[in-house]
Amino acid sequence: MKSPRTKSQCGKSPRTENPRTESPRGKSPRGKAARTRAAGLGALLAAVVLALLPLPPGGTAAAATGPAGNSAATKRGTKGPYDDFSGLEVTVHQTRDLRAQGLKVTWRGGTPTQGRKSDYLQIMQCWGDDPAGPKREQCQFGGAATSGGNFGTHIARRELLVGTDPLEKEYDELIPSPEYPGQKTSPFVPFRPVSGPPTKKTTDWTYFGPGDTNEEFFAATQPDGTGEVAFNLQTTREAPHLGCGDPLGTGTDVRGRRCWLVVVPRGSHDPDGSTGVDHRPNTSPFTTTNWDRRIVFPLDFLPVREPCPTDRTERRMTGSELVTDAVTSWQSALCATGTTRFTFSQRGEELARGNLTRPTATTPGLAFTVEPVEGGEKAGFVHAPVAVSGLTVGVFWEASGIGLVRDLRLSPRLLAKLLTSSYPLDVRYLTYDRPAPEHLKGNPDSLVRDPEFLELNPAFARSPQAPQVYPGGILLSAERSDATKVVWDYLRANAESRAFLEGRPDPWGMKVNPHFKDLGLVTDGSYEFPKADPTETEIKVGEKSITYGAIDRSPYAVDLHDAARWVRRGTNNAKYEALDDPTAAGGLKLSGPEYLPGERRAYGLTDAASAVRYQLQVAALPNADGTYVRPTTTSLLAAVGQYKDSAVPGVLAADPARTRGDAYPLTVVTYAAASTKLPADARRDYARVLRYAAGPGQKQGTAPGELPYGYAPLPQKLRTLAASAADRLERGAPTAPGTSGGSTSGGSTGTGGSDSGAIGTGGTTGSTGTSGGSTTGTSGAAGGPVTPSSAAPPPAATTGGGSTSGTPGEHLAGTGSTPSEVLGAIRWVLLAVLVAGGLAGVAGPVVLGLAGRRRIPSDSPRTGIRNLKSG
């Protein structure tokens, strides 16, 4: 990488005239001295002004808008024949670089929803290649199973009622019934997929249905005229019939297929002017009059494809789910700047470390891990920090009398109760003939009936919930992982939760589920979330019967991302109801309840990046001070600054017991680990991954190659450590004295050089040099690499109840070194330089004036002036 050009390189060279001839002709030395003093005073004044001027807004503030960036779009509604939506403004907070994620949609200026009757929005995802927008046949809607109840029977369906819309011409005649030959039924708008035949009836679930549709058929408007939903976007992977993100184009001009978000505002009238029964409209959004009021937003998806051509040399990577979103983003950028294809397979960290310590010809050479590889550098393994993330309880909970739950607090003891299935409703649905299991009798039926929960969340005490009206069992990952151990360590470090896990009741008499007492959770922790309760419940339907257990009632998610995805849908995917099914063994199968808008409720343990991706609310958790904190850039980095080295120097140990002040207790640093004994070409390739991850990969954004929101950008000290680890990896294992050590084959480290330059854009890193194909060491600050233990002191502890404001999407958008921080450092350096120059400018003429009283030999060097010029 070329160094920045100085003025002497791009313009004239600095002059070095003889000082005896430097003064302009006709000007006296006394006049020049006066002017020099004035210039010095001016420099001093400029320095003071520079120090006092306010800095421009920093990167954290600018990025605090979260994933929306500059791609948010706002559109207004229009007036209909009976309802006026012209005051409605709908904002979609991200319209570019989209993937499978939650999409924030907000609105204002709407008419408040009347119960479950009128005035709401219907939102759907559609495909369509026409620049004007999609047709109604191209929209995914009508799959939400509802028989009406408190909603109109047709507002969530594709079926149109003949004669209810004066403008409807295409679907306004009865059609032959597909179920009952010889009879006729109402027409419907068929769904036409990207490829394949259209649907044949309203309940044709060939493409989507109650289990996988993402429509919002009743998005309520609050009393102040505002509303908010996080729409669950689907790509061609989740919904191939929509094709969103299908790669289009060739070569470097590949883009994802565009899709659409369609919002249909609904008022209190049907198209014919009627208000239905009890002012409850009863027509589909697809009838022409309703459809004409639609508000359409184009959605640009990232192409869903392999990030790199498959004919390139493959370098395999594996490990922690905590880096999955980041590595997935980085893959395409790494491919674009090299000739190697980096593939990643998510697996538990223990297995990933085993790949390094017991390698084969096919095992991945780079592992992402939270805990270090045993032996660390002494055993030949380098560790580079690549990601700062956090574990969190993601929430999507619509509670009666409260609405969307936004400010949930969970103590460590409450979390311990949830993880040990200590509430009877977590293992069995309670009825008069199925009471609480004997070993859980006396415990509150559910979380919403727990006095500890009500004390921390008074809104639930003011609006009492039925014991069944709660999110059910908490969704937990089925993976064995280091991240799970961090959660148990958090509970072990807290005196109250530790006592509860040991078997001591809480102040209200609740006890731990005894099946969890002898699992070593207190003494050793665990890398898993066990489902240890063996309770089985029998359901009888006539002569048939079926049983379910705790895993059916409180099922596992596949992983942290899967937990966030299910929470976004408002369900924990529980199955504890019997459903007639002739194809099932015994004639019955287990099914779960269907939650309608306003009743959806779920929570799960996930990672901060997934919580942001799916726009979940997150619970506040207390740190060692008892301060309730949510994962934000500030709180994650505060925890990193308080962590100490693990048994392997340079690798921080996630330690919830150390988190104080504003630090978030479930903060985790993930490391990339590799062996210095790998072949030279493999070491060089993996070192490029480390340099990218610590450099350009820490710029937050939604574009490929950027760090997804939900991560906190690495602080500069960790970036320096990562760059140093990359250099040590590339050099390889030290060789015996007297031999040529640390050389790499090929005599070229061009890739490393370019990457190290990119790291420099984020701050100062060590320099890498090359000589005959060998890579020299990387130096951090003077005196060697910066170690984690020398990190900046944590922020002062807060007083009172602590900070609970903010969500990951709003605050996990800062950088390790914001522009304001960089300018802050630079301006004090400039201040010192200007002050020194100013003082020199004032003092120099004074010295000259005194010296002018004696004769100076013409051949004497005028040192004071030369020093002033060089300064």
Side-chain angles (χ1 to χ4, degrees):
M1 176 178 176
K2 295 182 180 180
S3 60
R5 292 192 298 174
T6 63
K7 183 177 180 180
S8 63
Q9 292 171 304
C10 61
K12 295 181 179 180
S13 299
R15 293 187 298 167
T16 55
E17 289 94 338
N18 189 315
R20 288 177 291 182
T21 62
E22 189 176 21
S23 297
R25 185 174 298 179
K27 302 293 183 181
S28 68
R30 181 172 297 179
K32 175 174 174 57
R35 290 191 300 276
T36 305
R37 283 195 297 273
L41 291 171
L44 284 174
L45 179 61
V48 173
V49 171
L50 176 65
L52 296 179
L53 279 176
L55 289 171
T60 300
T65 54
N70 292 324
S71 70
T74 299
K75 295 187 177 183
R76 297 183 70 95
T78 57
K79 185 176 182 179
Y82 301 104
D83 294 293
D84 186 2
F85 306 113
S86 58
L88 176 68
E89 286 188 356
V90 180
T91 299
V92 174
H93 289 252
Q94 183 185 352
T95 59
R96 294 197 302 268
D97 297 332
L98 296 166
R99 52 183 177 157
Q101 63 178 77
L103 180 63
K104 186 176 180 180
V105 182
T106 60
W107 60 95
R108 63 180 183 176
T111 301
T113 298
Q114 305 301 314
R116 294 186 177 180
K117 303 175 183 178
S118 62
D119 302 293
Y120 52 92
L121 303 187
Q122 296 186 297
I123 309 174
M124 61 197 80
Q125 185 176 344
C126 312
W127 73 276
D129 298 328
D130 188 336
K135 297 178 173 60
R136 48 187 173 173
E137 292 84 358
Q138 296 170 316
C139 293
Q140 180 167 281
F141 190 89
T146 172
S147 59
N150 290 326
F151 300 96
T153 50
H154 290 87
I155 68 165
R157 300 173 68 176
R158 306 183 74 90
E159 187 177 7
L160 307 187
L161 300 177
V162 173
T164 59
D165 186 352
L167 299 183
E168 181 59 53
K169 304 300 180 186
E170 187 174 2
Y171 302 101
D172 196 43
E173 293 183 1
L174 295 176
I175 61 173
S177 171
E179 285 94 358
Y180 305 103
Q183 298 185 26
K184 289 196 172 183
T185 187
S186 296
F188 71 99
V189 177
F191 173 74
R192 299 184 185 278
V194 170
S195 62
T199 54
K200 303 297 184 182
K201 56 183 179 179
T202 56
T203 56
D204 183 345
W205 308 137
T206 301
Y207 303 109
F208 60 90
D212 54 9
T213 185
N214 62 353
E215 66 203 66
E216 291 280 347
F217 71 84
F218 196 95
T221 299
Q222 301 304 313
D224 62 355
T226 66
E228 176 181 336
V229 297
F231 190 84
N232 190 16
L233 281 184
Q234 296 176 342
T235 69
T236 188
R237 282 201 178 106
E238 298 79 29
H241 48 276
L242 294 176
C244 306
D246 274 337
L248 302 176
T250 58
T252 58
D253 185 29
V254 176
R255 63 193 184 281
R257 181 191 290 273
R258 168 176 283 187
C259 278
W260 307 85
L261 194 76
V262 174
V263 178
V264 180
R266 304 297 298 273
S268 58
H269 296 83
D270 276 325
D272 60 1
S274 65
T275 56
V277 179
D278 195 20
H279 296 280
R280 182 179 289 123
N282 191 33
T283 53
S284 168
F286 289 146
T287 193
T288 297
T289 298
N290 292 334
W291 183 249
D292 285 348
R293 304 279 75 77
R294 69 191 182 278
I295 307 171
V296 180
F297 296 87
L299 302 177
D300 290 330
F301 281 77
L302 296 170
V304 179
R305 58 172 181 164
E306 287 294 327
C308 210
T310 56
D311 59 351
R312 295 192 180 184
T313 301
E314 180 184 22
R315 295 294 182 202
R316 298 180 62 197
M317 307 182 295
T318 190
S320 178
E321 183 186 0
L322 295 179
V323 298
T324 297
D325 272 11
V327 171
T328 302
S329 175
W330 296 338
Q331 281 175 305
S332 58
L334 287 165
C335 176
T337 58
T339 59
T340 305
R341 178 169 64 101
F342 294 97
T343 59
F344 173 74
S345 57
Q346 177 185 303
R347 61 169 51 189
E349 296 89 346
E350 186 178 35
L351 291 173
R353 290 191 293 271
N355 288 153
L356 300 186
T357 57
R358 299 178 297 276
T360 68
T362 60
T363 53
L366 188 69
F368 295 97
T369 182
V370 175
E371 295 183 1
V373 181
E374 187 175 358
E377 200 113 1
K378 292 181 179 179
F381 301 102
V382 300
H383 293 81
V386 294
V388 174
S389 186
L391 301 167
T392 186
V393 178
V395 180
F396 179 31
W397 189 343
E398 298 170 324
S400 174
I402 299 174
L404 183 64
V405 175
R406 299 178 181 275
D407 189 16
L408 192 72
R409 292 187 176 198
L410 293 176
S411 68
R413 185 164 53 203
L414 284 172
L415 192 55
K417 295 173 181 179
L418 292 169
L419 299 187
T420 56
S421 302
S422 294
Y423 295 109
L425 273 171
D426 284 355
V427 298
R428 171 186 288 175
Y429 190 81
L430 306 183
T431 61
Y432 72 94
D433 60 341
R434 289 195 294 272
E438 193 65 32
H439 60 282
L440 295 178
K441 282 186 176 179
N443 284 358
D445 290 342
S446 68
L447 182 70
V448 297
R449 289 299 182 92
D450 190 333
E452 182 177 8
F453 176 79
L454 297 175
E455 189 174 278
L456 283 173
N457 302 277
F460 285 85
R462 292 191 295 268
S463 299
Q465 310 290 307
Q468 293 86 353
V469 182
Y470 88 116
I474 187 170
L475 274 163
L476 301 171
S477 171
E479 279 196 329
R480 179 180 174 87
S481 73
D482 293 354
T484 301
K485 178 69 158 44
V486 173
V487 177
W488 287 114
D489 288 347
Y490 172 58
L491 302 184
R492 295 165 64 209
N494 178 269
E496 292 180 347
S497 57
R498 183 183 180 93
F500 181 80
L501 291 172
E502 288 174 335
R504 280 174 276 178
D506 73 1
W508 300 273
M510 181 174 176
K511 296 180 181 179
V512 69
N513 188 327
H515 295 294
F516 289 79
K517 282 182 60 177
D518 300 324
L519 301 181
L521 300 175
V522 174
T523 56
D524 305 317
S526 177
Y527 291 88
E528 298 174 315
F529 292 119
K531 298 281 188 180
D533 194 309
T535 300
E536 287 192 339
T537 302
E538 183 181 24
I539 312 173
K540 289 187 176 181
V541 179
E543 299 297 322
K544 304 174 184 177
S545 68
I546 191 171
T547 60
Y548 69 83
I551 292 182
D552 301 302
R553 176 70 176 157
S554 300
Y556 279 115
V558 174
D559 52 30
L560 299 173
H561 174 270
D562 189 51
R565 188 173 61 86
W566 278 106
V567 170
R568 176 70 268 156
R569 296 192 61 186
T571 175
N572 72 347
N573 203 26
K575 293 177 174 59
Y576 53 89
E577 296 178 351
L579 183 67
D580 278 311
D581 184 0
T583 65
L588 296 177
K589 72 174 183 180
L590 285 173
S591 178
E594 297 169 355
Y595 293 117
L596 299 175
E599 300 176 352
R600 293 168 295 188
R601 46 189 184 267
Y603 52 0
L605 196 71
T606 185
D607 61 294
S610 294
V612 172
R613 177 171 178 172
Y614 288 98
Q615 293 288 294
L616 304 179
Q617 306 297 324
V618 294
L621 302 175
N623 58 23
D625 282 343
T627 304
Y628 278 81
V629 189
R630 290 187 174 88
T632 66
T633 296
T634 299
S635 64
L636 293 176
L637 294 181
V640 172
Q642 296 173 22
Y643 285 170
K644 299 295 184 182
D645 279 2
S646 64
V648 172
V651 179
L652 297 177
D655 189 356
R658 301 189 64 86
T659 54
R660 301 183 183 277
D662 287 336
Y664 182 67
L666 296 183
T667 300
V668 181
V669 182
T670 309
Y671 290 79
S675 172
T676 57
K677 298 177 184 178
L678 289 170
D681 56 345
R683 296 198 313 272
R684 186 164 56 247
D685 287 340
Y686 288 131
R688 187 160 70 88
V689 175
L690 306 190
R691 293 189 180 106
Y692 185 88
Q698 293 301 312
K699 176 188 175 185
Q700 281 193 302
T702 58
E706 296 179 333
L707 184 69
Y709 292 102
Y711 294 95
L714 287 176
Q716 185 54 50
K717 292 180 180 179
L718 293 190
R719 296 191 196 193
T720 301
L721 286 174
S724 178
D727 289 339
R728 295 196 304 277
L729 176 61
E730 192 165 3
R731 285 198 303 272
T735 54
T739 63
S740 175
S743 62
T744 59
S745 66
S748 171
T749 56
T751 300
S754 63
D755 281 342
S756 103
I759 294 173
T761 62
T764 305
T765 66
S767 59
T768 54
T770 57
S771 176
S774 64
T775 306
T776 63
T778 298
S779 62
V786 181
T787 62
S789 59
S790 64
T798 58
T799 59
S803 170
T804 63
S805 63
T807 64
E810 292 170 335
H811 298 291
L812 283 178
T815 59
S817 185
T818 67
S820 291
E821 292 167 343
V822 174
L823 285 175
I826 292 174
R827 69 173 178 172
W828 293 114
V829 173
L830 291 176
L831 175 61
V833 173
L834 289 172
V835 168
L839 290 174
V842 173
V846 174
V847 174
L848 288 176
L850 294 174
R853 297 176 184 176
R854 60 185 180 85
R855 184 182 181 88
I856 300 177
S858 61
D859 60 348
S860 174
R862 303 175 77 168
T863 308
I865 296 178
R866 289 182 185 272
N867 287 343
L868 179 62
K869 284 174 61 64
S870 65

